[in-house]
Amino acid sequence: MDISTGTRASDAERDQIVRLLGRHMADGRIDLAEYDQRVARVYGSATRDDLQLVLSDLPKLSKDSAAHSPRPRIPVWQRIEGGSWLGVSVLVLIIWAAISIGVGEFTYFWPVWVIGPWGAVLAFRVLTGWESGRGGKRARQ
C-alpha cells in the first residue's frame, strides 16, 4: 500500500486543473493527445503536489485571459433551433414554388403559416433571453 505524505487533492481541485489544461489546449500549447494524457494523470493523482506536476512545464495563466474568451450571444441550443427553422423554411418554400410552377401560377402562400409563428417564437426567445438563463427570475432560482 502506497502512503503519500502530501496533502490530498479534492475533486474540485482536479476539475480546476482540467479547466486550466483546456485553456492551454485552446491556446495551442498542448495538443489533444497530450491533453488526454494529462487529464488522465490529473484524475489518477492523489495529492496536490501531483496535480502541480501536471502543470509544471506550462506557463501560469492570468485571470484576464479567461475574461477575454468570446462567449456566444445566442446559446447553442437556440442556434440549433434557428438552423432547424431555416431548413424547414427553405423546404416549405421549395414545395410551394414547385406547386406554383406545376400549376402555372402563384398559389396561396401557405408557407407563411409555417415560417411566421415558429420564427416569431424563436425571435422572441432570442431577444428577451427567455429560457436561456440570461436575466429574469428563472436564472436566480
Side-chain angles (χ1 to χ4, degrees):
M1 180 177 196
D2 183 33
I3 299 175
S4 60
T5 58
T7 304
R8 304 289 289 187
S10 69
D11 288 337
E13 291 169 325
R14 288 184 190 91
D15 291 339
Q16 180 183 10
I17 298 296
V18 169
R19 281 193 302 273
L20 289 173
L21 286 171
R23 287 176 53 196
H24 282 294
M25 183 177 69
D27 290 343
R29 291 186 189 93
I30 58 176
D31 61 1
L32 184 59
E34 187 175 358
Y35 172 80
D36 287 339
Q37 292 170 353
R38 288 180 187 238
V39 167
R41 282 180 45 201
V42 165
Y43 286 118
S45 63
T47 65
R48 289 179 176 172
D49 294 336
D50 294 340
L51 289 178
Q52 292 307 317
L53 287 175
V54 174
L55 296 174
S56 64
D57 62 333
L58 297 170
K60 300 277 188 222
L61 293 173
S62 65
K63 302 283 185 200
D64 295 338
S65 62
H68 295 304
S69 63
R71 183 175 176 192
R73 181 177 171 268
I74 301 172
V76 68
W77 58 270
Q78 282 184 343
R79 286 185 273 159
I80 292 169
E81 286 179 342
S84 300
W85 172 81
L86 182 62
V88 169
S89 298
V90 169
L91 179 66
V92 296
L93 287 173
I94 290 172
I95 293 170
W96 173 80
I99 292 170
S100 294
I101 291 171
V103 174
E105 64 182 31
F106 288 119
T107 60
Y108 176 72
F109 190 68
W110 57 266
V112 71
W113 298 110
V114 176
I115 298 169
W118 189 3
V121 168
L122 290 179
F124 171 78
R125 289 167 61 185
V126 168
L127 294 175
T128 62
W130 189 65
E131 290 184 349
S132 68
R134 292 183 296 149
K137 292 182 180 177
R138 279 184 193 261
R140 288 185 217 123
Q141 290 178 349

